[in-house]
Amino acid sequence: MAETKELVLLNCWASPYGMRCRIALAEKRVEYEHKDENLMEKSPLLLQSNPVHKKIPVLVHGGKPVCESLVIVQYVDEAWPDRAPLLPADAYGRAQARFWADFVDKKVCYCMLSLLRLPAKEAQGEAKKEFTEGLKLLEGELGEKKYFGGDTFGFVDVALVPLMAWFRTYESFGSFSAETEAPKLVAWGKRCMERESVAMSLPDPGKVYEFVCFMRKMFGLG
C-alpha cells in the first residue's frame, strides 16, 4: 500500500457512490481511514467538510475535503498518477469516459433512486422503463469489450460497477430481471467482481436489500 498524508473517507457502507471511492483507492493501493456515517445524525466533520450538500462521500486528504464521488475518483487518479490509471491518456478518451460516467449518474442512478423511492406498485412505470433503457444503452457502449475502456479497467467501470451490489434490490422493487434485460452488463459485472479492488469494496447484495427495506419502512413506503 502507498504511504500518504492523512486520508479519510466519510461514507455509508451501502452507498454506491462511496463504493466508487473505495474501488479507486483500492486500485491505487492507497491506505486510508474509512469512517462510516450515520445519515440520520451526520457528524460535525461531514457537515464541516461538505457544507453545500451535506452528503457522503467526502474524501479528506491532509485536512482538505473533496466532495462528489466522480470528482473524488478523478482526484484519486490525479493524486496518485504512477499506478493503475483510471482515465485514458488521450484527451478524447478522457472526454468519452467522463461522458459515460455522467450518463450513469444522470440516467441510471437517477432512475434507480426513483425506483426505490416510489411505492412498490408505482415502481413498474416510467422509472423502470427509463432504468432498463439506460442499461441497454450502456450495453451498446460496452459492446464486446472486456471493460468499458477496452482491456483496461477504468473510470466508467468504477462509476457503474457498484450498482451490481444493488441489482437484487432493483429486481425486487422494479419486478424485472437484470439477467434478462442486460445480460452483457451482468457478465461484465461478474468480470469486475473478479478484481480484488471491486470484491473488497462491494457489500453483500442481501445486506443492501435489507438496508433498503429498512429505509423504505422508515419513510412509510412499505
Side-chain angles (χ1 to χ4, degrees):
M1 286 290 196
E3 295 182 2
T4 185
K5 294 183 289 185
E6 182 181 3
L7 194 65
V8 180
L9 179 64
L10 308 180
N11 188 29
C12 170
W13 68 270
S15 168
Y17 302 105
M19 293 175 210
R20 292 170 171 174
C21 307
R22 298 188 67 179
I23 292 168
L25 289 163
E27 283 287 323
K28 297 290 185 175
R29 303 189 69 79
V30 175
E31 293 182 345
Y32 65 97
E33 179 183 358
H34 183 273
K35 289 190 175 181
D36 208 46
E37 287 282 333
N38 178 355
L39 301 185
M40 298 296 108
E41 189 176 343
K42 298 173 183 178
S43 72
L45 180 58
L46 175 58
L47 298 177
Q48 178 185 350
S49 300
N50 190 357
V52 176
H53 298 301
K54 301 178 177 62
K55 294 180 179 179
I56 52 94
V58 178
L59 184 69
V60 184
H61 188 192
K64 298 178 179 179
V66 183
C67 306
E68 298 294 319
S69 64
L70 292 181
V71 176
I72 293 171
V73 172
Q74 292 179 77
Y75 176 83
V76 168
D77 197 38
E78 294 174 5
W80 293 275
D82 58 324
R83 61 186 75 89
L86 298 175
L87 281 159
D90 65 293
Y92 181 76
R94 290 194 300 273
Q96 288 299 299
R98 289 175 177 132
F99 171 85
W100 284 106
D102 184 68
F103 175 85
V104 171
D105 262 4
K106 292 180 177 175
K107 182 75 171 181
V108 180
C109 290
Y110 175 80
C111 294
M112 168 198 78
L113 292 174
S114 296
L115 272 172
L116 300 180
R117 287 170 177 166
L118 290 170
K121 64 180 180 181
E122 297 178 21
Q124 309 287 330
E126 193 62 27
K128 174 185 171 182
K129 178 183 176 183
E130 291 184 14
F131 182 67
T132 53
E133 286 175 353
L135 295 182
K136 290 182 183 299
L137 285 169
L138 285 166
E139 276 201 320
E141 172 59 20
L142 177 64
E144 301 302 321
K145 301 190 294 288
K146 182 178 181 180
Y147 301 115
F148 279 90
D151 291 331
T152 303
F153 182 80
F155 189 59
V156 183
D157 304 293
V158 174
L160 181 61
V161 75
L163 301 190
M164 299 299 112
W166 284 69
F167 264 6
R168 174 184 170 184
T169 304
Y170 311 149
E171 290 175 328
S172 177
F173 291 105
S175 298
F176 78 101
S177 166
E179 188 77 53
T180 300
E181 298 289 348
K184 287 185 179 180
L185 278 188
V186 171
W188 159 86
K190 292 177 180 177
R191 285 196 298 275
C192 291
M193 283 296 295
E194 294 173 359
R195 301 183 69 85
E196 181 182 8
S197 63
V198 178
M200 66 187 291
S201 301
L202 268 59
D204 178 77
K207 291 183 177 180
V208 173
Y209 176 76
E210 292 173 1
F211 172 79
V212 172
C213 288
F214 172 78
M215 295 300 292
R216 283 172 60 88
K217 185 177 181 179
M218 179 179 291
F219 289 104
L221 294 175

